[in-house]
């Protein structure tokens, strides 16, 4: 019996030594703790483990003392295992959201609603038009050619594609989804007359825009892109949020420069017509980065890409935010925001950041609201109370963002912040311009654009140089005093319903339609409902969506 108890104490001490060794190696490898805290933790673990392991193997030590030491050893082992789990999870989440070598282009085959075509195989020996200026247009055409024999006709303009489909000069159209969304927005009549019968995706190799620096010692710039989609973060899509953050770790200064989505700029490497900045996202995050570098005369080191789902989940994981609004307004989803600080959840935060038609300044004010939301996230995320929301925050960001900043750089920034916990000074600036209409590179048709105000661009460049030159700028946000308004939903007045038993529903029902939703195939009968302002409609497919695995050069 005595030998059995001795074996238990001996095994417990061995387990303690093994777990302690693994734990110490892990916290050194993750390297997220400031050196002063790391040294204290390592010394404390070393002393505790050595003392307990030695004492548990002493023959002369009283049983009661050994039981007490065993109890504390078990608690220490349990705590180190739990912390190790979260350290591994943290490292895994940060490592799993890195720069993708590929961008994903999503394509749809569309036909007229009243046509006889319901499946891809029905298009055999027909005329299929396609927009040749999409990056993956040739490979998307080859993909269809491998499935059926048809006559493919190339077009320089989406508008011409639309006209020829409506005039029955084409049987169907192959188009990238971002372009399709623009076509629908520019022509609601066209949107009401078409249906999607087939979808697929292709991978295209991305060009690296990384310009690495020591982020804890030198200033750096990061492009924050908010794409107008739900779902896969690496899909190419129009960028509705275009913010360049210039960060100076020495002065703890962050400059947020918002560029309107409709800013009329020359896309990097293109000639001819300029284009809306939002359209740069159709060609990938690398195009957006290079175009903004040209505009601001700034070397952008990193990028951060998020979508609608990211914002909702992150804000909810933080337990909501207190975001500052310059105006009292009602959003497009009928949430009522007050001037000053407002307490918002994820859905309300997204609504706050997307609304533009409620303001006289439209997209300019929306850009300011997006900057205010970023400020609120930074303020909440750098607060000491974030530790109790750590687990939910990890779950929220896992797979919901994409960045080319390495895990090592991210953990070094976290380490720096934990070292002093000093607040950041945040200054916001929005570029301005003049409303206009002009031809665009992507759509080759006259669209609404915003002609840049040269003075505002020059002012932005001066603020950038001040931030890079270690100058402290005036904060754009007053100190939060703990007082905030509650966001409420304004009820919508509905027209009275008139019952008519003989009336037919004004809805066309598509039989045997399959909808792609979060990589799952769901049987359904109805067309997808129209998404709210600036969103991208999800497409449907009556065949299983598929992906081409070939690597395609841009």
């Amino acid at each position: 019996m005595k030998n059995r108890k001795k074996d238990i104490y001996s095994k417990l001490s061995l387990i303690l030594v093994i777990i302690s060794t693994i734990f110490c190696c892990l916290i050194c490898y993750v390297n997220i703790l400031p050196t002063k805290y790391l040294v204290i933790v390592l010394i404390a673990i070393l002393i505790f483990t050595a003392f307990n392991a030695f004492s548990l193997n002493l023959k002369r030590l009283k049983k009661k003392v050994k039981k007490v030491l065993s109890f504390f050893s078990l608690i220490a082992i349990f705590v180190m295992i739990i912390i190790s789990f979260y350290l591994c999870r943290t490292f895994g989440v940060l490592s799993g959201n890195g720069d993708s070598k590929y961008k994903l282009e999503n394509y749809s085959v569309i036909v007229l609603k009243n046509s006889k075509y319901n499946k891809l195989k029905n298009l055999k020996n027909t005329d299929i038009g396609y927009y040749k200026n999409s990056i993956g247009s040739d490979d998307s055409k080859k993909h269809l050619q491998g499935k059926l024999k048809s006559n493919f006709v190339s077009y320089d303009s989406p508008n011409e594609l639309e006209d020829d489909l409506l005039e029955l000069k084409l049987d169907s159209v192959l188009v990238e989804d971002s372009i399709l969304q623009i076509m629908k927005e520019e022509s609601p009549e066209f949107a009401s007359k078409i249906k999607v019968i087939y979808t697929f995706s292709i991978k295209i190799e991305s060009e690296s825009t990384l310009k690495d620096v020591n982020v804890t010692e030198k200033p750096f710039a990061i492009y924050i892109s908010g794409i107008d989609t739900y779902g896969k973060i690496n899909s190419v899509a129009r960028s509705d949020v275009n913010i360049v953050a210039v960060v100076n770790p020495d002065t703890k200064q962050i400059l947020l420069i918002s560029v309107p989505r409709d800013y009329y700029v020359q896309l990097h490497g293109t000639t001819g017509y300029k284009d809306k900045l939002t359209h740069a996202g159709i060609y990938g995050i690398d195009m957006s980065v290079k175009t903004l570098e040209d505009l601001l005369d700034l070397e952008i080191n990193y990028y951060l890409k998020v979508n609608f789902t990211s914002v909702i989940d992150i804000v909810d994981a933080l337990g909501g935010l207190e975001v500052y609004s310059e105006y009292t307004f009602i959003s497009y989803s009928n949430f009522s925001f007050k001037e000053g600080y407002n307490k918002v959840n994820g859905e309300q935060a997204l609504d706050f950041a997307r609304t533009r038609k409620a303001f006289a300044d439209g997209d300019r004010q929306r850009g300011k609201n997006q900057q205010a939301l970023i400020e609120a996230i930074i303020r909440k995320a750098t607060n000491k109370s974030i530790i109790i929301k750590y687990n939910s925050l990890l779950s929220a960001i896992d797979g919901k963002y994409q960045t080319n900043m390495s895990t090592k750089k991210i953990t070094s920034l976290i380490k720096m912040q934990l070292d002093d916990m000093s607040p950041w000074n945040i200054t916001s600036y929005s570029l301005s311009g003049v409303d206009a209409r002009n031809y665009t590179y992507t759509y080759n048709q006259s669209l609404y654009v915003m002609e840049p105000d040269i003075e505002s661009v020059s002012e932005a460049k001066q603020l950038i140089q001040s931030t890079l030159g270690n100058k402290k700028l005036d904060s754009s946000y007053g100190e939060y005093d703990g007082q905030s308004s509650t966001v409420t939903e304004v009820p919508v007045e509905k027209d009275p319903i008139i019952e008519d038993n003989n009336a037919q529903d004004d809805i066309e029902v598509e039989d045997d339609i399959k909808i792609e939703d979060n990589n799952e195939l769901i049987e359904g009968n109805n067309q997808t409902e129209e998404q709210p302002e600036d969103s991208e409609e999800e497409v449907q497919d009556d065949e299983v969506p598929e992906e081409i695995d070939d690597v395609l050069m841009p």
Side-chain angles (χ1 to χ4, degrees):
M1 188 70 177
K2 290 183 178 179
N3 290 333
R4 186 179 298 176
K5 289 185 177 180
K6 181 180 178 181
D7 289 342
I8 292 175
Y9 292 135
S10 177
K11 289 179 180 178
L12 180 61
S13 64
L14 180 61
I15 293 173
L16 177 63
V17 171
I18 293 174
I19 296 298
S20 298
T21 303
I22 295 174
F23 180 73
C24 291
C25 292
L26 187 59
I27 59 175
C28 290
Y29 178 74
V30 174
N31 195 28
I32 204 170
L33 279 178
T35 304
K36 59 184 179 183
Y37 299 132
L38 180 63
V39 171
I40 293 173
V41 170
L42 292 177
I43 291 176
I45 292 175
L46 177 63
I47 293 174
F48 177 85
T49 303
F51 176 78
N52 278 29
F54 177 76
S55 300
L56 288 173
N57 286 282
L58 282 178
K59 296 180 181 180
R60 297 178 181 179
L61 198 65
K62 293 181 179 180
K63 293 180 180 179
K64 290 184 178 180
V65 176
K66 284 191 174 184
K67 287 181 178 180
V68 172
L69 291 176
S70 298
F71 174 74
F72 284 110
S73 295
L74 287 171
I75 291 178
I77 290 171
F78 178 76
V79 170
M80 284 189 287
I81 290 175
I82 294 297
I83 295 176
S84 296
F85 169 77
Y86 282 111
L87 285 175
C88 290
R89 190 178 176 207
T90 300
F91 194 79
V93 168
L94 296 179
S95 301
N97 293 276
D99 187 24
S100 174
K101 295 181 180 180
Y102 306 101
K103 47 195 173 188
L104 201 65
E105 275 198 348
N106 303 306
Y107 282 84
S108 296
V109 177
I110 60 175
V111 296
L112 294 178
K113 270 186 180 180
N114 58 4
S115 73
K116 62 182 179 182
Y117 307 116
N118 292 310
K119 293 186 177 183
L120 183 64
K121 63 184 179 182
N122 299 146
L123 296 177
K124 186 178 180 180
N125 297 322
T126 62
D127 292 327
I128 302 176
Y130 70 98
Y131 178 51
K132 68 179 184 180
N133 286 344
S134 295
I135 297 176
S137 60
D138 288 340
D139 293 276
S140 62
K141 181 184 71 172
K142 289 177 183 178
H143 172 66
L144 289 189
Q145 286 175 331
K147 291 186 170 296
L148 75 164
K149 292 182 179 180
S150 293
N151 178 40
F152 288 84
V153 184
S154 65
Y155 282 77
D156 294 320
S157 166
N159 190 45
E160 294 175 2
L161 265 178
E162 174 188 325
D163 290 342
D164 281 4
L165 180 63
L166 293 176
E167 293 172 9
L168 303 180
K169 295 179 181 179
L170 290 172
D171 297 290
S172 64
V173 166
L174 168 64
V175 63
E176 196 274 322
D177 284 354
S178 297
I179 301 296
L180 176 59
Q181 183 64 18
I182 298 174
M183 295 168 71
K184 290 179 177 180
E185 290 175 358
E186 293 300 316
S187 177
E189 180 185 3
F190 172 73
S192 67
K193 292 183 177 181
I194 63 170
K195 62 183 178 183
V196 176
I197 63 169
Y198 183 70
T199 66
F200 63 97
S201 300
I202 61 173
K203 289 179 179 178
I204 302 172
E205 189 172 354
S206 296
E207 185 176 344
S208 175
T209 59
L210 178 67
K211 304 171 188 70
D212 230 348
V213 295
N214 187 333
V215 294
T216 60
E217 295 181 1
K218 294 184 178 181
F220 62 93
I222 181 166
Y223 166 54
I224 303 172
S225 170
I227 60 175
D228 65 346
T229 63
Y230 296 85
K232 291 184 179 180
I233 193 68
N234 64 333
S235 295
V236 298
R238 295 176 301 175
S239 182
D240 268 3
V241 178
N242 298 281
I243 294 176
V244 177
V246 184
V247 183
N248 191 317
D250 186 41
T251 59
K252 284 294 187 81
Q253 171 69 52
I254 298 177
L255 170 64
L256 299 176
I257 298 177
S258 176
V259 186
R261 68 189 296 273
D262 296 314
Y263 232 44
Y264 195 53
V265 294
Q266 190 72 52
L267 300 187
H268 180 80
T270 66
T271 57
Y273 293 129
K274 294 181 180 181
D275 208 337
K276 297 184 179 190
L277 177 61
T278 185
H279 290 173
I282 297 174
Y283 305 96
I285 193 78
D286 44 342
M287 174 63 85
S288 298
V289 168
K290 291 177 181 180
T291 299
L292 284 167
E293 286 181 329
D294 295 342
L295 176 67
L296 298 173
D297 291 335
L298 171 68
E299 187 176 83
I300 297 176
N301 307 89
Y302 309 102
Y303 73 80
L304 172 65
K305 187 178 180 183
V306 298
N307 61 10
F308 294 160
T309 310
S310 313
V311 175
I312 295 173
D313 291 345
I314 290 172
V315 173
D316 284 338
L318 288 169
L321 299 173
E322 289 73 33
V323 63
Y324 185 80
S325 174
E326 293 184 353
Y327 300 100
T328 295
F329 69 95
I330 297 176
S331 67
Y332 74 82
S333 292
N334 295 299
F335 289 116
S336 177
F337 293 89
K338 305 295 183 184
E339 181 181 352
Y341 283 96
N342 293 262
K343 174 72 175 180
V344 296
N345 59 26
E347 182 183 359
Q348 294 162 346
L350 177 62
D351 210 44
F352 178 80
R354 293 182 63 204
T355 297
R356 63 188 172 102
K357 293 181 179 178
F359 308 108
D361 279 345
D363 198 44
R364 302 176 187 86
Q365 185 59 43
R366 177 168 65 173
K368 293 180 181 179
N369 287 353
Q370 292 165 353
Q371 291 170 321
L373 182 60
I374 293 174
E375 185 275 336
I377 291 174
I378 294 174
R379 175 164 30 87
K380 191 69 173 280
T382 55
N383 191 284
K384 295 179 181 179
S385 63
I386 192 62
I387 191 66
I388 63 175
K389 301 180 180 69
Y390 189 72
N391 185 41
S392 58
L393 184 59
L394 276 182
S395 299
I397 66 175
D398 190 12
K400 302 294 176 56
Y401 73 91
Q402 184 179 326
T403 182
N404 60 348
M405 181 180 284
S406 68
T407 304
K408 184 178 179 180
K409 299 294 182 183
I410 296 174
T411 54
S412 66
L413 282 173
I414 297 173
K415 184 176 180 180
M416 180 189 72
Q417 185 61 29
L418 290 173
D419 192 32
D420 59 16
M421 291 304 292
S422 58
W424 290 79
N425 184 65
I426 301 177
T427 304
S428 296
Y429 184 78
S430 296
L431 296 185
S432 59
V434 179
D435 297 337
R437 292 193 68 87
N438 217 322
Y439 278 80
T440 60
Y441 173 82
T442 298
Y443 202 61
N444 198 23
Q445 183 181 338
S446 181
L447 302 175
Y448 165 77
V449 298
M450 183 182 291
E451 296 281 359
D453 180 356
I454 303 303
E455 290 186 5
S456 74
V457 176
S458 298
E459 176 67 19
K461 292 178 180 179
Q462 291 177 12
L463 291 172
I464 290 171
Q465 293 307 313
S466 296
T467 303
L468 297 176
N470 293 336
K471 290 184 180 180
K472 200 88 169 182
L473 306 177
D474 292 334
S475 175
S476 298
Y477 307 94
E479 186 175 352
Y480 175 59
D481 59 3
Q483 302 296 319
S484 60
S485 301
T486 301
V487 175
T488 57
E489 188 170 3
V490 179
V492 181
E493 293 186 6
K494 297 182 179 180
D495 295 330
I497 300 176
I498 301 175
E499 293 188 2
D500 183 358
N501 295 329
N502 297 319
Q504 298 291 325
D505 293 335
D506 189 24
I507 301 175
E508 284 198 34
V509 178
E510 300 285 344
D511 294 330
D512 300 325
I513 295 293
K514 296 180 180 179
I515 303 172
E516 183 182 15
D517 182 16
N518 295 330
N519 296 324
E520 294 182 359
L521 206 58
I522 304 170
E523 297 290 338
N525 291 324
N526 297 329
Q527 293 290 327
T528 306
E529 293 180 359
E530 184 178 351
Q531 297 290 335
E533 177 180 343
D534 284 346
S535 69
E536 182 170 4
E537 288 188 21
E538 296 185 9
V539 295
Q540 304 183 68
D541 183 13
D542 73 340
E543 299 185 14
V544 180
E546 53 186 286
E547 181 176 296
I548 298 177
D549 291 325
D550 295 333
V551 177
L552 310 175
M553 295 298 292

